[in-house]
């Protein structure tokens, strides 16, 4: 039986080509044929960047900062805003009056809140020497602009999450903290005592007005939408045992809980320090926020929280000729704002609902 062997062996490519040339010459192949075959692919192609493909982790994420704390444009860096008292608005007065009685009186109690915006800026320096040297598909200034904008947006998202998603932003009576154990929504259906729908509805009733917006971060939503008792509520029948492969939709939950908005932020952040092993987590905490929100600015409106924005987001490039041979171009983003809880009792919170 004939056996075939690799005449080139396992030697490096250049050695294989040399041996191939020698073999062709030994069997009398014309010199021009030997010459034409005496090169490798590496001699014909120099690896470079693809023109139509690259990887970038700056992908679209669901950021909800400007919906969770709607923007109010302000002309001054600091000011006050009037607040009419809830006690007056919710007082029930007996309006019955006799022929010579004076009508019952209602009063207006006025206080104020205040904001004080803070300047914020991020920039990315890009060496012009590197811009000149970079291959065509590498848009260093464009990448710097994406990075700066993304960093500003994530910074804002983190600030808002740290206000909206924590117990300290609500009256103590409006906060339900779920301790570790079977009461958390991430516990399996065979041992859980949690009833997410009832818990949300109960907390909604604690707010000064019924919330019209629920903020449920993605890592909470994943457990909530597949929870047996949630699915039972959606289906309208009791579901026993573990239900797999079924999840509730956003529209089903909005209808079930009678809310206008169900926001599911999913942005992540690096949680490790520079130089340490990389770890990542969600920006929003393991809580569910129930808020009454109104967009924009308005007279005599109610909104749990607002972002008072003095300077809008602005992006500029700044050239500095001093560094290097050709200088540096800075891509800069900036704005100024202040995130304020304007009516804390117009919301409620379920804290640490999952492990």
């Amino acid at each position: 039986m004939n056996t075939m062997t690799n005449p080139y062996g396992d030697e490096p490519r250049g050695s294989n080509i040399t041996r191939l040339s020698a073999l062709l010459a030994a069997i009398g192949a014309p010199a021009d044929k030997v010459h034409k075959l005496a090169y490798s692919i590496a001699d014909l192609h120099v690896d470079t960047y693809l023109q139509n493909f690259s990887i970038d982790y700056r992908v679209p994420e669901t950021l909800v900062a400007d919906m969770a704390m709607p923007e109010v444009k302000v002309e001054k860096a600091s000011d006050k805003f009037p607040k009419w008292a809830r006690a007056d608005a919710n007082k029930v007065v007996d309006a019955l009056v006799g022929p010579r009685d004076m009508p019952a009186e209602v009063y207006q109690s006025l206080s104020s809140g205040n904001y004080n915006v803070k300047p914020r800026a991020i920039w990315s320096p890009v060496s012009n020497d590197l811009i000149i040297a970079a291959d065509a598909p590498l848009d260093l200034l464009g990448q710097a602009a994406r990075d700066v904008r993304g960093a500003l947006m994530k910074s804002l998202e983190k600030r808002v999450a740290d206000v909206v998603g924590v117990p300290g932003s609500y009256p103590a009576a409006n906060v339900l903290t779920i301790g570790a154990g079977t009461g958390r929504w991430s516990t399996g259906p065979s041992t859980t005592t949690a009833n997410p729908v009832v818990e949300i509805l109960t907390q909604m009733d604690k707010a000064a007005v019924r919330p019209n917006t629920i903020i449920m971060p993605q890592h909470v939503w994943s457990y909530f939408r597949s929870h047996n008792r949630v699915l039972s509520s959606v289906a309208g029948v009791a579901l026993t045992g573990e239900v797999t492969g079924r999840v509730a939709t956003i529209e089903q939950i909005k209808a079930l809980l009678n809310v206008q908005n169900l926001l599911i932020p999913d942005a992540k952040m690096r949680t490790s320090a520079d130089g340490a092993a990389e770890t990542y987590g969600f920006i929003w905490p393991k809580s569910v926020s129930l808020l009454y929100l109104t967009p924009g600015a308005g007279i005599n409106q109610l909104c749990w929280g607002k972002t008072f924005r003095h300077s809008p987001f602005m992006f500029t490039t700044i050239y500095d000729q001093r560094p290097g041979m050709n200088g540096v171009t800075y891509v800069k983003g900036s704005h100024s704002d202040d995130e304020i809880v304007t009516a804390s009792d117009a919301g409620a919170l379920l804290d640490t609902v999952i492990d």
Side-chain angles (χ1 to χ4, degrees), residues 50-309:
L50 287 175
Q51 301 289 315
N52 62 348
F53 180 76
S54 66
I55 292 291
D56 185 1
Y57 282 87
R58 291 273 181 205
V59 298
E61 296 175 304
T62 303
L63 304 176
V64 302
D66 279 342
M67 291 179 280
M69 301 187 78
E71 177 189 79
V72 174
K73 293 182 174 67
V74 295
E75 295 182 359
K76 302 295 184 181
S78 64
D79 251 328
K80 295 182 178 181
F81 54 90
K83 298 177 66 172
W84 297 104
R86 176 188 178 187
D88 298 325
N90 289 161
K91 184 178 180 180
V92 177
V93 179
D94 184 358
L96 182 65
V97 62
R100 300 182 61 182
D101 293 338
M102 299 296 289
E105 296 181 348
V106 295
Y107 302 92
Q108 297 81 39
S109 301
L110 181 64
S111 63
S112 65
N114 66 282
Y115 68 88
N116 189 354
V117 304
K118 301 168 184 64
R120 311 182 193 278
I122 295 174
W123 70 6
S124 178
V126 184
S127 166
N128 291 319
D129 294 341
L130 297 181
I131 294 174
I132 295 170
D135 286 340
L138 296 178
D139 179 8
L140 300 188
L141 285 178
Q143 184 63 37
R146 286 190 292 274
D147 288 343
V148 167
R149 186 182 188 283
L152 277 178
M153 295 299 104
K154 284 208 171 185
S155 177
L156 172 61
E157 190 80 2
K158 182 66 166 62
R159 290 197 307 276
V160 170
D162 288 346
V163 175
V164 176
V166 299
S169 298
Y170 303 82
N174 292 18
V175 177
L176 172 64
T177 300
I178 300 179
T182 59
R184 290 189 174 168
W185 300 355
S186 49
T187 305
S190 60
T191 58
T192 186
T193 60
N195 195 332
V197 173
V198 171
E199 289 165 354
I200 288 176
L201 291 174
T202 300
Q203 287 304 105
M204 280 182 145
D205 288 341
K206 294 180 180 180
V209 294
R210 195 177 193 284
N212 57 12
T213 300
I214 296 177
I215 301 179
M216 187 180 298
Q218 177 63 54
H219 47 319
V220 176
W221 171 245
S222 295
Y223 284 107
F224 177 85
R225 70 185 311 203
S226 59
H227 196 282
N228 272 40
R229 288 187 172 138
V230 174
L231 293 173
S232 294
S233 297
V234 170
V237 296
L239 301 176
T240 59
E242 184 174 2
V243 178
T244 59
R246 294 180 61 180
V247 293
T249 67
I250 291 176
E251 292 304 317
Q252 286 174 326
I253 298 304
K254 286 170 62 177
L256 179 68
L257 299 176
N258 190 26
V259 291
Q260 296 175 18
N261 309 302
L262 175 56
L263 307 180
I264 304 174
D266 60 11
K268 292 186 176 182
M269 64 178 180
R270 194 179 74 184
T271 55
S272 54
D274 289 342
E278 293 181 5
T279 56
Y280 298 88
F282 286 95
I283 286 179
W284 283 78
K286 301 172 181 178
S287 59
V288 177
S289 304
L290 315 171
L291 309 172
Y292 185 85
L293 301 176
T294 50
I299 302 298
N300 295 338
Q301 69 169 205
L302 182 65
C303 187
W304 179 87
K306 291 288 190 181
T307 296
F308 295 90
R309 184 157 293 145

Side-chain angles (χ1 to χ4, degrees), residues 11-24 34 38:
E11 298 176 21
R13 185 183 297 257
S15 298
N16 292 340
I17 295 298
T18 302
R19 294 190 60 188
L20 175 59
S21 301
L23 288 171
L24 290 171
V34 175

